[in-house]
């Protein structure tokens, strides 16, 4: 079977990808799995070879193919679509944006397509409410409004703050949201976005402003790592260095900006 997850909302798309993978692995603990990226031209063939391999102990297999939008759609369909009806094989294909015409076969049965378009401002309160319930929180309307106003379209930021709140009593009021400490959020987000400017001078200015304002580099690093346009491999590399004690978050941010 093939799951085709597409759309510009990388946060919800990513969560769904992880949920499908976790559900399958939980059901088949000994399943064989592997990950592939569209950044590599030979990923289509490697994915096919992995899924078609006859394992001695693990008959069921699951593959995850990210950044499919970078691959040849016709070739991908030709090589991988035939496995869509094989119940012993699962493939999760992640595509950023609206699929081109060549990927049309992945938008209908037997493939299981799911679209993750960007939410409209009117949909954010519902997202916050639903996510709060998933985290075991009971959040009042005023707190929902404050979170939506503070974080705008940044789902990663909203989810991160809700996770922090889940460590509390479980009942979230507006004052609890205020206590998280983003009074200058109207200035914070434009400054944060400036860190991704193509101009080095702008990126350096933005980082200096965040340092002067005493903003948490851990928070900034985490939000940028999950934002659109960031290089996940680069952030993963720095994350490993940080966790191994070879780098701290301040130095990592300086390195990323440069």
């Amino acid at each position: 079977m093939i799951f085709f997850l597409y759309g510009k909302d990388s946060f919800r798309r990513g969560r769904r990808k992880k949920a499908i993978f976790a559900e399958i692995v939980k059901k088949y603990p000994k399943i064989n799995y592997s990950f592939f990226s569209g950044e590599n031209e030979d990923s289509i063939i490697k994915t096919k070879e992995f899924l078609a391999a006859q394992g001695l102990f693990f008959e069921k297999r699951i593959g995850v193919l990210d950044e499919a939008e970078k691959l040849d759609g016709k070739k991908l369909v030709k090589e991988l679509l035939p496995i869509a009806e094989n119940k012993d094989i699962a493939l999760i294909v992640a595509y950023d944006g609206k699929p081109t015409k060549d990927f049309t076969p992945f938008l209908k049965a037997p493939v299981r397509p799911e679209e993750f378009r960007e939410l409209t401002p009117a949909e954010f309160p519902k997202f916050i409410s639903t996510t709060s319930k998933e985290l075991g929180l009971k959040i009042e309307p005023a707190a929902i409004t404050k979170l939506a106003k503070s974080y705008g379209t940044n789902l990663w930021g909203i989810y991160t703050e809700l996770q922090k709140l889940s460590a509390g009593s479980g009942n979230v009021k507006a004052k609890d949201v205020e206590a998280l400490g983003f009074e200058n959020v109207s200035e914070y987000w434009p400054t944060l976005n400036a860190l991704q400017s193509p101009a080095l001078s702008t990126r350096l200015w933005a980082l200096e402003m965040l340092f002067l304002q005493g903003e948490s580099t851990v928070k900034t690093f985490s939000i940028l790592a999950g934002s659109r346009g960031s290089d996940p491999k680069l952030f993963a590399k720095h994350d490993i260095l940080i966790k191994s004690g070879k780098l701290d978050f301040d130095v990592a941010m300086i390195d990323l900006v440069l």
Side-chain angles (χ1 to χ4, degrees):
M1 52 186 161
I2 297 177
F3 299 88
F4 186 60
L5 314 181
Y6 67 97
K8 295 302 294 183
D9 191 335
S10 59
F11 178 80
R12 290 190 300 129
R13 193 181 69 238
R15 288 192 70 200
R16 178 57 177 155
K17 179 181 67 176
K18 292 179 181 177
I20 293 173
F21 183 82
E23 183 180 343
I24 293 175
V25 172
K26 181 179 180 181
K27 187 175 182 180
Y28 304 105
K30 294 184 178 181
I31 194 170
N32 198 358
Y33 57 84
S34 190
F35 302 90
F36 306 91
S37 172
E39 287 190 341
N40 302 316
E41 295 182 1
D42 61 351
S43 59
I44 295 177
I45 297 302
K46 287 186 177 297
T47 301
K48 180 182 178 180
E49 291 176 347
F50 166 74
L51 295 174
Q54 294 297 318
L56 182 60
F57 301 105
F58 306 116
E59 291 302 321
K60 296 185 182 296
R61 294 172 296 285
I62 176 173
V64 179
L65 177 58
D66 286 310
E67 299 180 282
E69 69 278 359
K70 297 181 179 180
L71 295 170
D72 183 327
K74 290 183 178 180
K75 183 176 180 180
L76 190 146
V77 169
K78 178 183 178 181
E79 299 294 343
L80 299 179
L81 187 60
I83 72 167
E85 295 185 2
N86 189 330
K87 295 182 179 180
D88 289 325
I89 298 174
L91 173 63
I92 304 173
V93 179
Y95 188 109
D96 183 23
K98 183 178 180 180
T100 60
K101 184 178 179 180
D102 291 342
F103 285 85
T104 300
F106 275 76
L107 298 177
K108 52 189 177 183
V111 176
R112 304 179 186 186
E114 294 183 45
E115 181 181 10
F116 295 87
R117 60 174 177 74
E118 292 184 310
L119 298 179
T120 65
E123 293 174 312
F124 277 90
K126 183 178 180 181
F127 168 79
I128 295 173
S129 178
T130 300
T131 305
S132 297
K133 290 179 181 178
E134 292 176 358
L135 294 172
L137 295 172
K138 184 177 181 180
I139 186 169
E140 67 175 21
I144 292 177
T145 300
K146 186 168 287 293
L147 264 177
K149 182 179 180 180
S150 298
Y151 279 90
T153 60
N154 191 295
L155 299 187
W156 179 267
I158 291 174
Y159 186 74
T160 298
E161 299 303 351
L162 287 174
Q163 282 187 312
K164 293 179 183 178
L165 291 167
S166 66
S169 65
N171 295 311
V172 182
K173 300 183 181 300
K175 64 179 182 180
D176 299 315
V177 175
E178 293 173 357
L180 291 171
F182 39 71
E183 294 85 354
N184 297 320
V185 73
S186 60
E187 300 174 6
Y188 174 72
W189 290 107
T191 305
L192 182 74
N193 291 335
L195 288 175
Q196 295 179 306
S197 169
L200 176 59
S201 59
T202 300
R203 298 199 302 273
L204 289 173
W205 167 85
L207 185 61
E208 182 180 7
M209 287 299 100
L210 292 174
F211 280 156
L212 290 174
Q213 292 170 13
E215 293 292 349
S216 167
T217 47
V218 177
K219 174 183 176 181
T220 300
F221 181 91
S222 299
I223 293 174
L224 283 178
S227 65
R228 188 190 319 148
S230 296
D231 183 346
K233 289 187 176 180
L234 186 60
F235 275 89
K237 177 183 177 181
H238 282 75
D239 188 50
I240 292 173
L241 292 173
I242 291 170
K243 290 178 178 177
S244 64
K246 297 179 180 179
L247 207 64
D248 62 30
F249 281 99
D250 287 359
V251 176
M253 283 306 307
I254 293 173
D255 188 46
L256 288 166
V257 165
L258 293 175

